[in-house]
PDB file of all heavy atoms in Angstrom:
ATOM      1  N   GLU A  62       4.643 -12.632 -14.073  1.00 92.00           N
ATOM      2  CA  GLU A  62       3.838 -13.396 -14.992  1.00 92.00           C
ATOM      3  C   GLU A  62       3.136 -12.513 -16.021  1.00 92.00           C
ATOM      4  O   GLU A  62       3.015 -12.879 -17.173  1.00 92.00           O
ATOM      5  CB  GLU A  62       2.832 -14.250 -14.243  1.00 92.00           C
ATOM      6  CG  GLU A  62       3.451 -15.388 -13.451  1.00 92.00           C
ATOM      7  CD  GLU A  62       2.446 -16.144 -12.601  1.00 92.00           C
ATOM      8  OE1 GLU A  62       1.370 -15.616 -12.346  1.00 92.00           O
ATOM      9  OE2 GLU A  62       2.784 -17.268 -12.192  1.00 92.00           O
ATOM     10  N   LYS A  63       2.707 -11.314 -15.600  1.00 90.00           N
ATOM     11  CA  LYS A  63       2.084 -10.366 -16.510  1.00 90.00           C
ATOM     12  C   LYS A  63       3.121  -9.910 -17.529  1.00 90.00           C
ATOM     13  O   LYS A  63       2.802  -9.752 -18.732  1.00 90.00           O
ATOM     14  CB  LYS A  63       1.556  -9.184 -15.703  1.00 90.00           C
ATOM     15  CG  LYS A  63       1.048  -8.015 -16.585  1.00 90.00           C
ATOM     16  CD  LYS A  63      -0.146  -8.381 -17.443  1.00 90.00           C
ATOM     17  CE  LYS A  63      -0.709  -7.104 -18.118  1.00 90.00           C
ATOM     18  NZ  LYS A  63      -1.757  -7.460 -19.103  1.00 90.00           N
ATOM     19  N   GLY A  64       4.357  -9.744 -17.120  1.00 87.00           N
ATOM     20  CA  GLY A  64       5.412  -9.341 -18.052  1.00 87.00           C
ATOM     21  C   GLY A  64       5.636 -10.386 -19.115  1.00 87.00           C
ATOM     22  O   GLY A  64       5.778 -10.092 -20.312  1.00 87.00           O
ATOM     23  N   TYR A  65       5.646 -11.645 -18.725  1.00 83.00           N
ATOM     24  CA  TYR A  65       5.803 -12.757 -19.680  1.00 83.00           C
ATOM     25  C   TYR A  65       4.615 -12.785 -20.665  1.00 83.00           C
ATOM     26  O   TYR A  65       4.783 -12.978 -21.862  1.00 83.00           O
ATOM     27  CB  TYR A  65       5.886 -14.078 -18.958  1.00 83.00           C
ATOM     28  CG  TYR A  65       7.172 -14.302 -18.201  1.00 83.00           C
ATOM     29  CD1 TYR A  65       7.163 -15.096 -17.052  1.00 83.00           C
ATOM     30  CD2 TYR A  65       8.361 -13.710 -18.575  1.00 83.00           C
ATOM     31  CE1 TYR A  65       8.356 -15.286 -16.320  1.00 83.00           C
ATOM     32  CE2 TYR A  65       9.539 -13.885 -17.871  1.00 83.00           C
ATOM     33  CZ  TYR A  65       9.543 -14.693 -16.757  1.00 83.00           C
ATOM     34  OH  TYR A  65      10.682 -14.872 -16.052  1.00 83.00           O
ATOM     35  N   LYS A  66       3.421 -12.577 -20.127  1.00 83.00           N
ATOM     36  CA  LYS A  66       2.212 -12.635 -20.970  1.00 83.00           C
ATOM     37  C   LYS A  66       2.219 -11.498 -21.984  1.00 83.00           C
ATOM     38  O   LYS A  66       1.893 -11.729 -23.161  1.00 83.00           O
ATOM     39  CB  LYS A  66       0.977 -12.486 -20.072  1.00 83.00           C
ATOM     40  CG  LYS A  66      -0.337 -12.542 -20.825  1.00 83.00           C
ATOM     41  CD  LYS A  66      -1.528 -12.465 -19.913  1.00 83.00           C
ATOM     42  CE  LYS A  66      -2.840 -12.518 -20.664  1.00 83.00           C
ATOM     43  NZ  LYS A  66      -4.007 -12.406 -19.760  1.00 83.00           N
ATOM     44  N   ASP A  67       2.630 -10.311 -21.597  1.00 79.00           N
ATOM     45  CA  ASP A  67       2.685  -9.181 -22.518  1.00 79.00           C
ATOM     46  C   ASP A  67       3.775  -9.380 -23.574  1.00 79.00           C
ATOM     47  O   ASP A  67       3.675  -8.893 -24.699  1.00 79.00           O
ATOM     48  CB  ASP A  67       2.915  -7.880 -21.790  1.00 79.00           C
ATOM     49  CG  ASP A  67       1.646  -7.378 -21.100  1.00 79.00           C
ATOM     50  OD1 ASP A  67       0.624  -8.080 -21.146  1.00 79.00           O
ATOM     51  OD2 ASP A  67       1.652  -6.253 -20.589  1.00 79.00           O
ATOM     52  N   PHE A  68       4.840 -10.079 -23.217  1.00 76.00           N
ATOM     53  CA  PHE A  68       5.884 -10.380 -24.190  1.00 76.00           C
ATOM     54  C   PHE A  68       5.405 -11.316 -25.278  1.00 76.00           C
ATOM     55  O   PHE A  68       5.703 -11.117 -26.459  1.00 76.00           O
ATOM     56  CB  PHE A  68       7.101 -11.007 -23.480  1.00 76.00           C
ATOM     57  CG  PHE A  68       8.257 -11.320 -24.375  1.00 76.00           C
ATOM     58  CD1 PHE A  68       9.080 -10.333 -24.841  1.00 76.00           C
ATOM     59  CD2 PHE A  68       8.469 -12.631 -24.800  1.00 76.00           C
ATOM     60  CE1 PHE A  68      10.146 -10.610 -25.677  1.00 76.00           C
ATOM     61  CE2 PHE A  68       9.514 -12.938 -25.643  1.00 76.00           C
ATOM     62  CZ  PHE A  68      10.360 -11.950 -26.095  1.00 76.00           C
ATOM     63  N   VAL A  69       4.580 -12.276 -24.874  1.00 77.00           N
ATOM     64  CA  VAL A  69       4.026 -13.256 -25.841  1.00 77.00           C
ATOM     65  C   VAL A  69       2.901 -12.596 -26.641  1.00 77.00           C
ATOM     66  O   VAL A  69       2.766 -12.853 -27.841  1.00 77.00           O
ATOM     67  CB  VAL A  69       3.495 -14.498 -25.111  1.00 77.00           C
ATOM     68  CG1 VAL A  69       2.808 -15.445 -26.075  1.00 77.00           C
ATOM     69  CG2 VAL A  69       4.662 -15.220 -24.435  1.00 77.00           C
ATOM     70  N   ASP A  70       2.105 -11.770 -25.974  1.00 73.00           N
ATOM     71  CA  ASP A  70       0.943 -11.133 -26.625  1.00 73.00           C
ATOM     72  C   ASP A  70       1.059  -9.622 -26.465  1.00 73.00           C
ATOM     73  O   ASP A  70       0.471  -9.048 -25.553  1.00 73.00           O
ATOM     74  CB  ASP A  70      -0.350 -11.655 -25.986  1.00 73.00           C
ATOM     75  CG  ASP A  70      -1.578 -11.040 -26.654  1.00 73.00           C
ATOM     76  OD1 ASP A  70      -1.443 -10.434 -27.737  1.00 73.00           O
ATOM     77  OD2 ASP A  70      -2.674 -11.145 -26.079  1.00 73.00           O
ATOM     78  N   PRO A  71       1.798  -8.961 -27.366  1.00 66.00           N
ATOM     79  CA  PRO A  71       2.022  -7.500 -27.222  1.00 66.00           C
ATOM     80  C   PRO A  71       0.762  -6.700 -27.336  1.00 66.00           C
ATOM     81  O   PRO A  71       0.722  -5.532 -26.944  1.00 66.00           O
ATOM     82  CB  PRO A  71       2.965  -7.200 -28.401  1.00 66.00           C
ATOM     83  CG  PRO A  71       3.531  -8.496 -28.812  1.00 66.00           C
ATOM     84  CD  PRO A  71       2.490  -9.535 -28.523  1.00 66.00           C
ATOM     85  N   GLU A  72      -0.318  -7.261 -27.876  1.00 66.00           N
ATOM     86  CA  GLU A  72      -1.570  -6.534 -28.072  1.00 66.00           C
ATOM     87  C   GLU A  72      -2.538  -6.685 -26.916  1.00 66.00           C
ATOM     88  O   GLU A  72      -3.696  -6.290 -26.998  1.00 66.00           O
ATOM     89  CB  GLU A  72      -2.256  -6.994 -29.370  1.00 66.00           C
ATOM     90  CG  GLU A  72      -1.404  -6.854 -30.607  1.00 66.00           C
ATOM     91  CD  GLU A  72      -0.957  -5.444 -30.849  1.00 66.00           C
ATOM     92  OE1 GLU A  72      -1.822  -4.515 -30.602  1.00 66.00           O
ATOM     93  OE2 GLU A  72       0.198  -5.209 -31.245  1.00 66.00           O
ATOM     94  N   SER A  73      -2.070  -7.299 -25.798  1.00 68.00           N
ATOM     95  CA  SER A  73      -2.994  -7.501 -24.661  1.00 68.00           C
ATOM     96  C   SER A  73      -3.482  -6.168 -24.162  1.00 68.00           C
ATOM     97  O   SER A  73      -2.751  -5.147 -24.111  1.00 68.00           O
ATOM     98  CB  SER A  73      -2.258  -8.240 -23.530  1.00 68.00           C
ATOM     99  OG  SER A  73      -1.157  -7.480 -23.069  1.00 68.00           O
ATOM    100  N   LEU A  74      -4.765  -6.114 -23.789  1.00 66.00           N
ATOM    101  CA  LEU A  74      -5.396  -4.889 -23.356  1.00 66.00           C
ATOM    102  C   LEU A  74      -4.998  -4.566 -21.916  1.00 66.00           C
ATOM    103  O   LEU A  74      -4.706  -5.416 -21.121  1.00 66.00           O
ATOM    104  CB  LEU A  74      -6.917  -5.033 -23.465  1.00 66.00           C
ATOM    105  CG  LEU A  74      -7.460  -5.277 -24.879  1.00 66.00           C
ATOM    106  CD1 LEU A  74      -8.994  -5.458 -24.837  1.00 66.00           C
ATOM    107  CD2 LEU A  74      -7.113  -4.111 -25.798  1.00 66.00           C
ATOM    108  N   ASP A  75      -5.031  -3.281 -21.593  1.00 76.00           N
ATOM    109  CA  ASP A  75      -4.677  -2.796 -20.264  1.00 76.00           C
ATOM    110  C   ASP A  75      -5.877  -2.088 -19.625  1.00 76.00           C
ATOM    111  O   ASP A  75      -5.788  -0.891 -19.298  1.00 76.00           O
ATOM    112  CB  ASP A  75      -3.460  -1.879 -20.313  1.00 76.00           C
ATOM    113  CG  ASP A  75      -2.162  -2.638 -20.559  1.00 76.00           C
ATOM    114  OD1 ASP A  75      -2.087  -3.790 -20.099  1.00 76.00           O
ATOM    115  OD2 ASP A  75      -1.274  -2.095 -21.183  1.00 76.00           O
ATOM    116  N   ASP A  76      -6.969  -2.756 -19.467  1.00 87.00           N
ATOM    117  CA  ASP A  76      -8.136  -2.186 -18.806  1.00 87.00           C
ATOM    118  C   ASP A  76      -7.854  -2.161 -17.300  1.00 87.00           C
ATOM    119  O   ASP A  76      -7.554  -3.188 -16.682  1.00 87.00           O
ATOM    120  CB  ASP A  76      -9.385  -3.024 -19.102  1.00 87.00           C
ATOM    121  CG  ASP A  76     -10.611  -2.438 -18.461  1.00 87.00           C
ATOM    122  OD1 ASP A  76     -11.215  -1.548 -19.055  1.00 87.00           O
ATOM    123  OD2 ASP A  76     -10.922  -2.849 -17.299  1.00 87.00           O
ATOM    124  N   ILE A  77      -7.965  -0.993 -16.708  1.00 92.00           N
ATOM    125  CA  ILE A  77      -7.550  -0.809 -15.322  1.00 92.00           C
ATOM    126  C   ILE A  77      -8.431  -1.586 -14.374  1.00 92.00           C
ATOM    127  O   ILE A  77      -7.992  -2.213 -13.416  1.00 92.00           O
ATOM    128  CB  ILE A  77      -7.521   0.688 -14.956  1.00 92.00           C
ATOM    129  CG1 ILE A  77      -6.569   0.953 -13.816  1.00 92.00           C
ATOM    130  CG2 ILE A  77      -8.879   1.237 -14.684  1.00 92.00           C
ATOM    131  CD1 ILE A  77      -5.162   1.160 -14.211  1.00 92.00           C
ATOM    132  N   ASP A  78      -9.756  -1.621 -14.632  1.00 92.00           N
ATOM    133  CA  ASP A  78     -10.677  -2.347 -13.743  1.00 92.00           C
ATOM    134  C   ASP A  78     -10.468  -3.833 -13.853  1.00 92.00           C
ATOM    135  O   ASP A  78     -10.422  -4.543 -12.823  1.00 92.00           O
ATOM    136  CB  ASP A  78     -12.115  -1.970 -14.082  1.00 92.00           C
ATOM    137  CG  ASP A  78     -12.445  -0.539 -13.774  1.00 92.00           C
ATOM    138  OD1 ASP A  78     -12.677  -0.214 -12.583  1.00 92.00           O
ATOM    139  OD2 ASP A  78     -12.460   0.279 -14.721  1.00 92.00           O
ATOM    140  N   GLU A  79     -10.375  -4.348 -15.068  1.00 92.00           N
ATOM    141  CA  GLU A  79     -10.200  -5.772 -15.224  1.00 92.00           C
ATOM    142  C   GLU A  79      -8.837  -6.215 -14.725  1.00 92.00           C
ATOM    143  O   GLU A  79      -8.708  -7.336 -14.194  1.00 92.00           O
ATOM    144  CB  GLU A  79     -10.375  -6.153 -16.685  1.00 92.00           C
ATOM    145  CG  GLU A  79     -11.814  -6.068 -17.203  1.00 92.00           C
ATOM    146  CD  GLU A  79     -12.751  -6.942 -16.414  1.00 92.00           C
ATOM    147  OE1 GLU A  79     -12.381  -8.112 -16.158  1.00 92.00           O
ATOM    148  OE2 GLU A  79     -13.839  -6.455 -16.062  1.00 92.00           O
ATOM    149  N   SER A  80      -7.829  -5.380 -14.844  1.00 93.00           N
ATOM    150  CA  SER A  80      -6.508  -5.737 -14.347  1.00 93.00           C
ATOM    151  C   SER A  80      -6.502  -5.833 -12.820  1.00 93.00           C
ATOM    152  O   SER A  80      -5.982  -6.779 -12.254  1.00 93.00           O
ATOM    153  CB  SER A  80      -5.484  -4.683 -14.802  1.00 93.00           C
ATOM    154  OG  SER A  80      -5.312  -4.660 -16.185  1.00 93.00           O
ATOM    155  N   LEU A  81      -7.162  -4.888 -12.152  1.00 95.00           N
ATOM    156  CA  LEU A  81      -7.226  -4.972 -10.683  1.00 95.00           C
ATOM    157  C   LEU A  81      -7.961  -6.220 -10.241  1.00 95.00           C
ATOM    158  O   LEU A  81      -7.563  -6.907  -9.304  1.00 95.00           O
ATOM    159  CB  LEU A  81      -7.901  -3.738 -10.149  1.00 95.00           C
ATOM    160  CG  LEU A  81      -8.141  -3.691  -8.627  1.00 95.00           C
ATOM    161  CD1 LEU A  81      -6.816  -3.689  -7.891  1.00 95.00           C
ATOM    162  CD2 LEU A  81      -8.998  -2.515  -8.204  1.00 95.00           C
ATOM    163  N   LYS A  82      -9.070  -6.485 -10.917  1.00 94.00           N
ATOM    164  CA  LYS A  82      -9.871  -7.696 -10.582  1.00 94.00           C
ATOM    165  C   LYS A  82      -9.049  -8.955 -10.755  1.00 94.00           C
ATOM    166  O   LYS A  82      -9.062  -9.846  -9.896  1.00 94.00           O
ATOM    167  CB  LYS A  82     -11.108  -7.727 -11.436  1.00 94.00           C
ATOM    168  CG  LYS A  82     -12.067  -8.849 -11.074  1.00 94.00           C
ATOM    169  CD  LYS A  82     -13.328  -8.752 -11.920  1.00 94.00           C
ATOM    170  CE  LYS A  82     -14.332  -9.852 -11.574  1.00 94.00           C
ATOM    171  NZ  LYS A  82     -15.576  -9.770 -12.348  1.00 94.00           N
ATOM    172  N   SER A  83      -8.302  -9.043 -11.851  1.00 94.00           N
ATOM    173  CA  SER A  83      -7.475 -10.219 -12.133  1.00 94.00           C
ATOM    174  C   SER A  83      -6.366 -10.342 -11.060  1.00 94.00           C
ATOM    175  O   SER A  83      -6.078 -11.465 -10.600  1.00 94.00           O
ATOM    176  CB  SER A  83      -6.862 -10.080 -13.505  1.00 94.00           C
ATOM    177  OG  SER A  83      -5.944 -11.120 -13.766  1.00 94.00           O
ATOM    178  N   ILE A  84      -5.747  -9.241 -10.699  1.00 96.00           N
ATOM    179  CA  ILE A  84      -4.678  -9.279  -9.704  1.00 96.00           C
ATOM    180  C   ILE A  84      -5.207  -9.799  -8.381  1.00 96.00           C
ATOM    181  O   ILE A  84      -4.599 -10.679  -7.731  1.00 96.00           O
ATOM    182  CB  ILE A  84      -4.066  -7.891  -9.515  1.00 96.00           C
ATOM    183  CG1 ILE A  84      -3.268  -7.507 -10.772  1.00 96.00           C
ATOM    184  CG2 ILE A  84      -3.170  -7.845  -8.272  1.00 96.00           C
ATOM    185  CD1 ILE A  84      -2.870  -6.045 -10.780  1.00 96.00           C
TER     186      ILE A  84
END
Side-chain angles (χ1 to χ4, degrees):
E62 290 176 342
K63 172 64 172 173
Y65 290 150
K66 182 178 179 181
D67 282 7
F68 180 77
V69 174
D70 181 14
E72 302 302 321
S73 61
L74 298 177
D75 286 328
D76 181 85
I77 205 87
D78 293 281
E79 289 302 315
S80 294
L81 177 64
K82 185 175 181 179
S83 175
I84 290 168

